[in-house]
Amino acid sequence: MVGYSAKDPARARHVAIIMDGNGRWAKKRGLPRSLGHQRGVEAVRRLVRGLKPMGLECLTLYAFSSENWKRSENEVDDLMNLMRKFIKSDLPEFVANDVRLKIIGDWQGLAPDIVAMLEDALAQTAKGKQTLAVALNYGSQQEIVRAVAKAAVLGEITTDSIAARLDTADLPPLDLLVRTSGEIRLSNFLLWQSAYAEMLFVDTLWPDFTPEMLQQALNDFAKRERRFGGR
Ligand code: IPE
Ligand code: IPE
Ligand code: MG
């Protein structure tokens, strides 16, 4: 993988995206929300297919939050079924393209058949070079609580010991956080990891998001001056 060092701070290693706006995309067209979610999955597929030349080590996607259970049973079912379909249809492509799947969040709390599919997908993609981390049943506050609880057992509550127990512990530091759909909030996503991440909020609704837009975001990222508190 292309390296990142103090000499090359312009290159993003890890980008995360809050994929928002599927519902509004459908509403604008008089279509059911489920169709917006379907088109959202297609946007994910396009992005993963376009990932290799971007040189990222990791792309993290917020797919289902721990608060998304508050939606109607119908919509939650639609989302879970799309997840099943997506894993089945796209897993061979992940393997072929050297994509390592990783799941963050309380994914063991999903339906048992989805957990089994994910375990299989994780095993099949374990040797992949570029990581696609998918946040499922993910809430950042819950993740931090889990990490602090583990650190507390060892009597070692420090920023390093907590970071080492977050779901993202094995991922590079977060460089850039993108949210689509015009909302300017984090909605319980990567709160700890965002401490010094650059942020980009775009109006595009998620189903309209393209790999070219991500590449543009990376080009813009390269021009930002990150200071991390120093001068
Ligand atoms: C994002 O789109 C997908 C999920 C949160 C699962 P939304 O469903 O939140 O779309 P809007 O925000 O209602 O437009
Ligand atoms: C955040 O979007 C969650 C995902 C993109 C999976 P939401 O649509 O759930 O967030 P809020 O409710 O607008 O804050
Ligand atoms: Mg939304």
Side-chain angles (χ1 to χ4, degrees):
M1 206 55 262
V2 184
Y4 168 92
S5 69
K7 280 187 209 134
D8 189 13
R11 180 178 287 282
R13 300 170 67 190
H14 183 181
V15 175
I17 308 182
I18 302 174
M19 311 185 287
D20 197 15
N22 294 349
R24 277 162 284 168
W25 184 95
K27 193 172 180 194
K28 256 175 55 182
R29 292 164 176 76
L31 298 168
R33 292 180 64 85
S34 58
L35 213 86
H37 293 314
Q38 269 183 47
R39 293 304 187 89
V41 171
E42 285 165 28
V44 171
R45 184 173 291 128
R46 282 198 303 269
L47 202 58
V48 178
R49 284 182 179 160
L51 209 52
K52 211 170 235 174
M54 293 184 202
L56 284 175
E57 287 171 46
C58 180
L59 176 69
T60 299
L61 300 176
Y62 202 7
F64 193 86
S65 76
S66 35
E67 289 74 38
N68 285 147
W69 296 107
K70 293 180 194 163
R71 298 189 180 197
S72 73
E73 206 181 315
N74 249 342
E75 181 166 358
V76 170
D77 282 351
D78 283 340
L79 289 166
M80 294 299 152
N81 285 330
L82 276 173
M83 212 179 294
R84 291 182 174 94
K85 262 175 73 178
F86 179 66
I87 303 165
K88 220 176 251 169
S89 59
D90 286 50
L91 179 57
E93 227 178 274
F94 289 179
V95 176
N97 292 331
D98 253 351
V99 172
R100 177 180 83 109
L101 187 69
K102 177 182 168 78
I103 313 291
I104 61 171
D106 190 11
W107 60 279
Q108 306 280 356
L110 297 171
D113 71 301
I114 297 185
V115 173
M117 285 175 90
L118 290 172
E119 279 168 348
D120 174 52
L122 293 173
Q124 284 197 47
T125 60
K127 294 207 167 71
K129 293 195 174 63
Q130 244 173 340
T131 300
L132 175 69
V134 184
L136 293 177
N137 197 13
Y138 177 89
S140 185
Q141 292 178 334
Q142 295 88 327
E143 177 198 30
I144 293 168
V145 169
R146 276 190 270 114
V148 172
K150 286 182 206 159
V153 170
L154 304 170
E156 199 196 319
I157 302 195
T158 63
T159 50
D160 284 346
S161 79
I162 293 168
R165 286 162 183 85
L166 293 170
D167 298 353
T168 53
D170 63 331
L171 301 178
L174 182 63
D175 292 311
L176 175 65
L177 179 78
V178 180
R179 182 171 188 147
T180 60
S181 91
E183 307 295 353
I184 304 182
R185 56 174 171 262
L186 295 179
S187 302
N188 205 10
F189 190 49
L190 301 181
L191 304 178
W192 178 289
Q193 296 85 343
S194 296
Y196 272 102
E198 298 293 314
M199 309 248 169
L200 175 66
F201 297 93
V202 297
D203 287 336
T204 311
L205 300 174
W206 177 251
D208 293 327
F209 195 80
T210 63
E212 291 71 31
M213 291 176 190
L214 180 56
Q215 185 58 62
Q216 186 59 53
L218 294 174
N219 298 346
D220 294 345
F221 169 88
K223 294 180 201 134
R224 294 195 189 191
E225 186 198 348
R226 300 178 83 189
R227 298 201 185 119
F228 300 100
R231 286 294 175 278

